Amino acid sequence: MYRFLLTPRWWGINLFVVLAIPFCVFMGTWQLGRFEDRVQSHEQAEKAPDPSTRAAKPLDALLPVDKVTSGRPAIATGTYADQFLVPGRKLDDRQGFYVLNMLRTDSGKALPVVRGWLPGPATDARVPAAPKGEVTVTGDLQASENTHSDGVDVRGGLPSGQVGMISAATLVNLVPYDVYDAWVTLPEAEAGGTGGAMKPVPAAAPEGSGLDLKAFQNLGYTGEWFVFAAFVLFMWFRLVRREAEAERDIALGLVPAESAAPATADASEGAGPAAEGAEAPDTAEGAPKDAPEDPSSPDYDVASTPVR
C-alpha cells in the first residue's frame, strides 16, 4: 500500500521533509541559545560590582570596549576642541540634549566627552563654556552608539553643530582628526562650576547584558522554528494518509482506477461493429420487420381491407 513512497514525486517530498525538519530544529536551538546567553549575561551583570566603583585606568588600557570594560572609569588627558549638541535625549523623563566635546589627546586622536545634559531644545546659547587648556578627565567608558541605541536620531538633516549619534563613524566625517571608537560621560559636574548647570549623564548598560526586548524576541523565534518543524511533519503524515486511503479505495473497487476509464471506452467502441454485424430477424422475403404490408397481398381484399 505504501509503495507510492518510492515514486519520483514522493522522493522529492521526502527529501524536503528530511532537510526541513533538521534545519528548523537547528535554528530553534540556536535562537534558544541566544536567549540563554542573554539571561546568563544579565545574571552576571547583576552579581558583578558596579563598573563605576572600580579603579580608574588609562583610556588605552580599556579599549576596545566590551561588556567587561563598558562603564569602567577611564582617564584621558588633552585639550577640548570641537563641540556638538546631541538633541532628543531624555533624562529623568524630561526631553533635552547632550553637550558633547571632542578631547584631543597627545596621541592625535580625539575622545568624545559628554560633559552633561540640559533640558529643552538644543541651542549653544545655554551651554556653559568648556574648560580652557589641558585637562584630565575621568569618565565612564561607553561603546559607540549604533542605530539600535536609545535616543539615536538617524533621520539626518540636523542643523550645523548637532549630531544624532555618538559614534566614531559619524564624528570622523565632521572633524579633521581621528576619533576613538568610544566615548565617556562625566559622572560629576566639571570643576570650577563651568558645567554646574548641566546634569551628569549616567552610563548605560552594555548591549546584550539585560533581558530587553531582543531577548524575548529570541525566545519567540525559538517557538516559531519548532512549530515550523512540527507543521512540516504533520503535513507529511497527512499527505501519506491521504495517498494511502486513495490506494486502498482503488484496491477495494470503491473508486475506479485511472486506467478503468480508457478500458471502458475501448469496450464501447468495440461493441459498435459487433452490433452492426449481427443478423437481422427473419421477415417476409427479407423485408424489414416493421415495414408496412403490401396491399396487393392475398391477405387483403380489393378495398385493401385485411381479410379476417
Side-chain angles (χ1 to χ4, degrees), residues 19 49 65 73 76 104 131 148 164 173 189 258 269 273 280 283 286 291 293 305 307:
L19 296 178
V65 184
R104 299 206 56 182
H148 301 290
N173 297 320
E258 295 179 357
E269 293 175 359
T283 57
E293 296 183 3
T305 302
V307 179

Side-chain angles (χ1 to χ4, degrees), residues 156-227:
L158 294 175
S160 178
Q162 297 185 15
V163 292
M165 181 189 307
I166 307 176
S167 170
T170 301
L171 295 170
V172 74
N173 297 320
L174 304 176
V175 294
Y177 39 80
D178 292 334
V179 180
Y180 280 105
D181 189 16
W183 58 283
V184 298
T185 174
L186 301 183
E188 298 178 357
E190 295 171 349
T194 56
M198 296 186 293
K199 290 186 177 182
V201 176
E207 291 187 4
S209 62
L211 294 179
D212 52 5
L213 180 60
K214 292 182 180 179
F216 292 101
Q217 285 180 343
N218 293 134
L219 186 60
Y221 294 150
T222 299
E224 288 182 359
W225 281 113
F226 286 126
V227 168

Side-chain angles (χ1 to χ4, degrees), residues 54-148:
R54 305 181 66 176
K57 288 187 176 182
L59 174 65
D60 293 333
L62 299 176
L63 297 178
V65 184
D66 54 22
K67 293 181 180 180
V68 177
T69 61
S70 179
R72 290 280 302 272
I75 302 174
T77 301
T79 304
Y80 281 122
D82 297 272
Q83 178 174 281
F84 299 95
L85 305 182
V86 187
R89 300 305 175 101
K90 287 186 176 181
L91 185 63
D92 298 332
D93 294 330
R94 298 177 62 190
Q95 196 72 25
F97 62 95
Y98 292 168
V99 179
L100 176 69
N101 283 81
M102 308 299 293
L103 183 70
R104 299 206 56 182
T105 63
D106 295 337
S107 64
K109 287 187 176 181
L111 174 66
V113 178
V114 174
R115 295 169 52 216
W117 173 90
L118 287 172
T123 172
D124 288 325
R126 304 170 51 205
V127 178
K132 302 292 184 181
E134 187 176 76
V135 295
T136 298
V137 299
T138 301
D140 296 334
L141 188 63
Q142 299 280 266
S144 292
E145 294 180 336
N146 54 54
T147 56
H148 301 290

